[in-house]
């Protein structure tokens, strides 16, 4: 089985575009290699490959989340400039 082609095909399905699929395939390929280095006797099944791609996609989506700060928490860090108040 050509693992890289399989990973890319499923990555295209998950990501929906070529650019994200390329990145996702690369991430999944690295994760597969790491898993095989840890346990060389592990059987590489389609289910295992699907799971690697899916988990890599979830990791990418988590990294893309925008960090927000509540207004109340942000007010403590703001100092008032007296010269701006007079203008």
């Amino acid at each position: 089985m050509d693992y890289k082609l399989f990973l890319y095909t499923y990555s295209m399905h998950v990501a929906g575009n070529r650019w994200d699929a390329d990145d996702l395939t690369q991430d999944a390929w690295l994760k597969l290699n790491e898993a095989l280095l840890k346990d060389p006797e592990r059987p590489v099944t389609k289910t295992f490959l699907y799971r690697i791609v899916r988990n890599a996609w979830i990791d990418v989506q988590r990294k893309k989340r925008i960090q927000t700060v509540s207004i109340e928490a942000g007010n403590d860090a703001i100092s008032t400039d007296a010269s701006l108040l007079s203008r």
Side-chain angles (χ1 to χ4, degrees):
M1 172 191 277
D2 184 9
Y3 297 138
K4 206 165 201 176
L5 178 62
F6 186 85
L7 292 173
Y8 180 74
T9 303
Y10 187 57
S11 294
M12 261 308 273
H13 175 73
V14 170
N17 65 63
R18 192 181 90 214
W19 297 277
D20 288 339
D22 288 340
D23 292 340
L24 185 57
T25 301
Q26 184 176 14
D27 291 343
W29 183 253
L30 290 172
K31 287 177 187 262
L32 174 62
N33 285 327
E34 288 173 8
L36 292 177
L37 285 174
K38 286 181 185 176
D39 184 11
E41 300 299 318
R42 181 183 178 100
V44 179
T45 62
K46 286 184 178 182
T47 304
F48 182 57
L49 295 174
Y50 284 132
R51 181 171 290 184
I52 288 174
V53 172
R54 187 193 61 177
N55 289 343
W57 180 250
I58 290 170
D59 291 344
V60 167
Q61 296 308 308
R62 284 182 182 156
K63 288 178 187 176
K64 285 184 179 180
R65 281 192 194 156
I66 298 173
Q67 298 293 327
T68 59
V69 178
S70 69
I71 294 173
E72 291 79 27
N75 285 341
D76 295 338
I78 299 173
S79 62
T80 306
D81 186 357
S83 65
L84 293 176
L85 292 176
S86 64
R87 291 184 187 170

